[in-house]
Amino acid sequence: MSENKLNGKLRIISEEIVKCRKCRRLNEYREKVSQTKKRAYRNDKYWGKPVVSFGDVRARLLIIGLAPAAHGGNRTGRIFTGDSSGDFLFDSLCRFGFSNQPVSCHSKDGLRLIDTYISAVAHCAPPENKLLPEEIENCRPFLVRELEELTHVKAILTLGHVAFNQYLKILKISGKIDQACDFKFGHGATFKFNAPLPTLFSSYHPSQQNTRTGRLTRSMFDLVICQIRNLLDQPEILKTSIHYFIE
């Protein structure tokens, strides 16, 4: 599957995201960062606005991250672009056929997601990478609407416990799963739901805090991406017989 131009509704969602100013704290922070800049990027022109989702509109894999990095997506204008988290993510995606290149430095570098769409819990960079509850609430409707429009998704990968919890909260609020259901986040945990809901995969977020400390290694992350690849490559007739478990 190749990357396609956004359809009408996804384009409208993206336009609304860029214009959103609901969260005063996030507005002030990302704009301040874009003006003060980081020394290494002092000659760059920062995007400094909410960062939209991107990818293949017919994607079978949806990846949900936390939020753009202050000097990554907030600088480049594309989520997971221009920072170490993105380097870690795209390297694995490329090796398993979900992107055409292993590194993304800027929004015009030719990166193309294959059968994959990337979104986030929030679309503005938060101070210390920590979102307030009301900021998550403000941004949730964008993800809800994207989930409705991405009708080909068969697998969802949540990066970190916040993305994991928020996706499950959307399912519970919409009545698609029982409010009483208890799901435990863990790296490599996989959850199979009744059709047509996608299979849920969870991973530690590929942040420097996790990758540099060894909490998340390349082999650990590759294993999750490999499981997703295997799921999507299986004939439909075989998928109903797969058994899922929490590691």
Side-chain angles (χ1 to χ4, degrees):
M1 295 182 183
S2 61
E3 190 169 15
N4 300 282
K5 292 183 179 179
L6 294 181
N7 63 32
K9 291 185 179 180
L10 284 173
R11 186 182 301 109
I12 290 172
I13 294 170
S14 294
E15 291 171 352
E16 291 180 10
I17 288 172
V18 173
K19 295 176 182 178
C20 183
R21 299 293 184 274
K22 288 183 178 180
C23 304
R24 180 176 178 179
R25 186 182 78 114
L26 298 186
N27 294 337
E28 293 177 349
Y29 177 71
R30 58 176 166 69
E31 290 174 0
K32 179 180 178 181
V33 168
S34 68
Q35 293 171 0
T36 58
K37 303 182 179 181
K38 188 175 183 179
R39 184 175 181 181
Y41 308 121
R42 62 183 179 276
N43 295 323
D44 290 14
K45 182 179 179 180
Y46 275 55
W47 171 251
K49 294 178 281 190
V51 182
V52 302
S53 309
F54 79 106
D56 185 343
V57 299
R58 295 176 60 84
R60 293 181 297 162
L61 168 60
L62 171 62
I63 299 174
I64 305 174
L66 176 63
H71 302 284
N74 186 55
R75 172 175 60 89
T76 65
R78 189 169 67 190
I79 195 168
F80 280 115
T81 294
D83 62 41
S84 61
S85 296
D87 293 343
F88 194 95
L89 173 64
F90 292 130
D91 181 65
S92 287
L93 292 182
C94 183
R95 284 185 289 105
F96 286 94
F98 291 112
S99 74
N100 68 327
Q101 60 189 51
V103 176
S104 181
C105 299
H106 57 85
S107 61
K108 304 296 183 182
D109 60 11
L111 175 77
R112 179 171 55 85
L113 295 179
I114 303 168
D115 206 8
T116 305
Y117 200 85
I118 297 181
S119 186
V121 171
H123 293 273
C124 293
E128 300 181 349
N129 293 319
K130 295 180 180 179
L131 293 164
L132 300 179
E134 58 267 30
E135 294 165 348
I136 293 174
E137 293 284 339
N138 285 341
C139 224
R140 185 182 299 125
F142 293 129
L143 181 56
V144 171
R145 291 163 62 192
E146 287 177 332
L147 288 167
E148 292 173 350
E149 296 304 318
L150 296 168
T151 58
H152 295 82
V153 172
K154 302 296 181 184
I156 289 182
L157 172 60
T158 54
L159 302 176
H161 72 278
V162 175
F164 177 80
N165 290 337
Q166 288 307 308
Y167 174 67
L168 289 172
K169 187 168 186 176
I170 289 173
L171 294 186
K172 290 180 179 180
I173 291 174
S174 65
K176 293 180 179 178
I177 60 174
D178 193 330
Q179 288 280 357
C181 290
D182 185 26
F183 299 89
K184 183 178 180 181
F185 171 79
H187 180 79
T190 307
F191 302 89
K192 177 70 175 180
F193 301 101
N194 293 329
L197 287 181
T199 299
L200 173 60
F201 296 82
S202 63
S203 169
Y204 293 139
H205 192 284
S207 63
Q208 289 187 19
Q209 182 179 359
N210 288 331
T211 58
R212 290 188 176 181
T213 60
R215 188 183 189 210
L216 177 62
T217 64
R218 172 63 59 197
S219 60
M220 289 170 62
F221 194 68
D222 279 356
L223 178 59
V224 176
I225 303 300
C226 182
Q227 290 173 336
I228 294 172
R229 178 82 276 168
N230 290 339
L231 171 70
L232 297 181
D233 285 349
Q234 291 169 351
E236 291 294 329
I237 194 171
L238 296 179
K239 291 181 182 178
T240 57
S241 64
I242 302 174
H243 296 283
Y244 294 85
F245 60 93
I246 301 175
E247 294 181 344

